[in-house]
């Protein structure tokens, strides 16, 4: 386990309701190609904050990488729809990134 992952886990123990920590843990698992673990932590992130739009992007990306294209597309379409409900540059940017990823999935 990486030092960063250990640090994030400690932070998560202090505040299990912080989606930043769960998202960071997910990304560390994804970097190590532990996709199932990454997906679990992305789901935890979205359970804590359904507006954490980059979690949809990462989840869709991992599912596509795993060959689960229909699931990836469904996640991305949902994330795009949710992001478009929010006004603001970050949500718009996330929707654009998810749309680009969605367009690249067969």
């Amino acid at each position: 386990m990486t030092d960063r992952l250990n640090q994030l886990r400690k932070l998560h123990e202090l505040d299990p309701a912080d989606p930043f920590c769960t998202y960071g843990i997910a990304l560390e698992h994804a970097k190590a190609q532990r996709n199932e673990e990454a997906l679990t932590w992305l789901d935890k992130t979205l359970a804590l904050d359904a507006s954490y739009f980059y979690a949809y992007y990462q989840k869709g990306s991992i599912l596509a990488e795993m060959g689960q294209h229909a699931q990836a597309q469904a996640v991305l379409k949902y994330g795009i729809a949710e992001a478009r409900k929010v006004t603001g540059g970050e949500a718009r940017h996330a929707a654009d990134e998810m749309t680009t990823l969605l367009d690249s999935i067969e």
Side-chain angles (χ1 to χ4, degrees), residues 54 57 76 80 91-102:
Y54 286 104
Y57 176 90
L76 292 167
I80 291 164
R92 187 177 323 112
H93 185 261
D96 291 346
E97 292 290 318
M98 285 186 276
T99 299
T100 299
L101 178 57
L102 179 61

Side-chain angles (χ1 to χ4, degrees), residues 39-104:
L39 292 172
T40 297
W41 285 96
L42 289 168
D43 286 338
K44 289 179 185 186
T45 302
L46 292 168
L48 292 170
D49 182 357
S51 296
Y52 212 102
F53 300 118
Y54 286 104
Y56 295 107
Y57 176 90
Q58 291 298 329
K59 186 173 179 179
S61 178
I62 291 168
L63 288 167
E65 182 179 307
M66 294 171 67
Q68 298 177 20
H69 295 170
Q71 286 180 291
Q73 291 168 332
V75 166
L76 292 167
K77 286 176 183 177
Y78 183 82
I80 291 164
E82 291 301 301
R84 288 192 175 147
K85 291 178 186 176
V86 177
T87 57
E90 187 173 333
R92 187 177 323 112
H93 185 261
D96 291 346
E97 292 290 318
M98 285 186 276
T99 299
T100 299
L101 178 57
L102 179 61
D103 290 345
S104 74

